[in-house]
Amino acid sequence: MKLGITDVSLGEFVRWRETGKFPSDEVLFKISELAGEDKIKSHFATMAVKLKDPDLSAAYEALAS
C-alpha cells in the first residue's frame, strides 16, 4: 500500500527478471525511500540491469556504487 501499486503490479515487479517489466521510476523511488537507500544510486543500479548494452550497463553500475 505504501508503494501505491496494485497486487498485480506487485506480482509483476517481484518477477521482473521473468517478465522484463520494471516498475516506474516513481515506484522505484518510493522503494528506495522506504529502504533508506539513495534514490539516484538506486536508479543507476536499475538502469544497469535494464539496458542490454554491456558498456552502458557497466557505466551505470559504476555510477551506482
Side-chain angles (χ1 to χ4, degrees):
M1 290 177 69
K2 289 182 180 182
L3 296 176
I5 60 176
T6 65
D7 290 343
V8 173
S9 295
L10 180 61
E12 288 177 352
F13 171 68
V14 172
R15 295 185 346 269
W16 66 267
R17 288 183 196 268
E18 298 168 22
T19 64
K21 294 182 180 181
F22 287 80
S24 68
D25 288 340
E26 181 180 307
V27 170
L28 289 171
F29 291 149
K30 286 180 185 178
I31 291 169
S32 64
E33 182 181 320
L34 290 170
E37 297 292 331
D38 180 270
K39 73 179 184 178
I40 303 302
K41 287 185 177 185
S42 296
H43 178 71
F44 288 145
T46 302
M47 291 304 295
V49 175
K50 275 182 166 181
L51 298 175
K52 305 295 183 203
D53 183 294
D55 294 330
L56 290 174
S57 290
Y60 274 112
E61 283 180 32
L63 291 169
S65 48

